[in-house]
Amino acid sequence: MKKKFIIVIPARYNSSRLPGKPLIKILGIPMLIRTYKQCLKVVSRDKIFIATDDKRIQKLCDDNNMNCVMTSKKCLTGTDRIAELSKKIKASFYINVQGDEPICDTGDIKKLIKTAKKYPNRIINGYTKITDKKLFLSKHIPKVVFRNDGRLLYQSRSPIPISKKGKFTHAWRQVCIYSIPYKALKIFSKIKQKTILENIEDCELIRFLELGLEVHMIKMSNNSISVDTKKDLIKVIKNINYLSKR
């Protein structure tokens, strides 16, 4: 039976920036489980699936009663992994919550689902304003620029937009939660190698743009922290400790 939507958490063990990332423990709890539990605050267990190619991650899921689908090691990106999963589990659209978002804001997930239900045929992604120049200059943070109507113009890990004098004025970063319709996943996954700009920027969302598909951006909170480095782990731990004392 086809579902309206499901949440999929792509989880790859061999991360180039932080190997073994999904299993790294944050205050005693693996990162993937923290991400999963945030999703579980929004939807029921039967609507959440982990997509992985690693037996160690599969075992973690089995031990914790989490739905897990094994995918090919040939998947180029997390979105390719979801596309492969979509062949086994049919839905109108798929909510992609990155496995390295252990403190992803539940309000952001709810907002994305609500918007996707209203516009099920749209590719939808979140953004938030950058107020810290260090984040603006970080090569790990994907920055986005978009039209007045919210349609994505471009995405880059480089600092954009930036003046000809190199001045930081207004900038926005991607929040790594997406909604992707089944049809868009099929188009995306037909490409068996990364597209030119996607490969240069290391930003999979660009593939949709290169294939002529629109990506719609919606405003989200500034609470998420994507874990790409050990410094990010420290930030997450500080955030969790701060919230626990409130």
Side-chain angles (χ1 to χ4, degrees):
M1 182 178 175
K2 186 176 182 179
K3 300 175 184 286
K4 179 67 176 177
F5 74 92
I6 59 172
I7 290 179
V8 184
I9 306 174
R12 185 167 67 100
Y13 187 88
N14 293 318
S15 167
S16 57
R17 289 186 282 269
L18 200 59
K21 186 161 56 172
L23 303 184
I24 291 175
K25 289 186 177 181
I26 301 173
L27 297 175
I29 300 173
M31 186 186 308
L32 178 60
I33 290 183
R34 284 193 175 274
T35 304
Y36 175 84
K37 285 184 175 180
Q38 291 299 97
C39 296
L40 200 56
K41 293 175 183 177
V42 179
V43 299
S44 57
R45 175 188 169 277
D46 63 299
K47 284 188 169 67
I48 309 173
F49 293 82
I50 313 301
T52 187
D53 62 358
D54 192 273
K55 293 291 184 181
R56 289 161 289 192
I57 294 174
Q58 182 187 41
K59 185 179 185 305
L60 179 74
C61 294
D62 291 344
D63 291 346
N64 289 274
N65 199 28
M66 297 154 62
N67 299 314
C68 182
V69 175
M70 294 298 290
T71 55
S72 167
K73 291 187 180 293
K74 295 180 181 179
C75 292
L76 300 172
T77 67
T79 303
D80 289 293
R81 207 170 296 287
I82 294 175
E84 195 171 301
L85 175 144
S86 73
K87 296 175 183 177
K88 301 175 183 178
I89 303 172
K90 303 298 182 185
S92 296
F93 59 89
Y94 298 78
I95 303 295
N96 177 351
V97 177
Q98 302 286 61
D100 58 6
E101 290 274 350
I103 56 171
C104 56
D105 191 287
T106 55
D108 290 341
I109 301 174
K110 289 176 183 176
K111 183 174 183 178
L112 181 64
I113 291 172
K114 183 178 179 180
T115 306
K117 284 181 176 178
K118 188 175 181 180
Y119 302 106
N121 296 317
R122 288 185 178 181
I123 303 164
I124 305 168
N125 185 210
Y127 75 89
T128 190
K129 191 173 183 180
I130 296 176
T131 56
D132 185 341
K133 190 174 181 180
K134 287 183 179 179
L135 288 180
F136 179 65
L137 296 175
S138 172
K139 63 181 180 181
H140 300 294
I141 303 294
K143 274 70 71 173
V144 292
V145 288
F146 41 87
R147 301 175 186 179
N148 290 337
D149 63 4
R151 285 180 292 168
L152 182 67
L153 284 169
Y154 197 61
Q155 179 184 39
S156 178
R157 295 184 187 274
S158 299
I160 59 169
I162 194 165
S163 72
K164 63 182 180 180
K165 294 181 179 180
K167 188 178 179 181
F168 163 52
T169 52
H170 301 286
W172 305 265
R173 67 177 175 89
Q174 177 192 35
V175 177
C176 294
I177 309 174
Y178 318 80
S179 176
I180 310 171
Y182 176 75
K183 290 181 180 178
L185 277 175
K186 284 186 70 176
I187 295 170
F188 185 95
S189 64
K190 283 181 180 178
I191 307 301
K192 300 307 177 185
Q193 59 184 15
K194 291 185 178 183
T195 48
I196 294 173
L197 296 176
E198 174 196 9
N199 189 51
I200 292 171
E201 297 281 9
D202 190 24
C203 293
E204 63 205 73
L205 208 60
I206 294 176
R207 192 189 307 180
F208 288 116
L209 300 183
E210 290 186 85
L211 294 174
L213 301 177
E214 299 279 13
V215 177
H216 297 260
M217 307 298 294
I218 60 172
K219 188 175 182 179
M220 291 186 173
S221 74
N222 203 23
N223 298 329
S224 67
I225 300 175
S226 295
V227 178
D228 285 311
T229 66
K230 291 182 179 179
K231 287 184 179 179
D232 295 331
L233 277 173
I234 294 170
K235 289 179 185 177
V236 168
I237 291 169
K238 285 182 178 178
N239 184 280
I240 293 171
N241 283 331
Y242 170 75
L243 292 175
S244 67
K245 292 175 183 177
R246 289 177 62 181

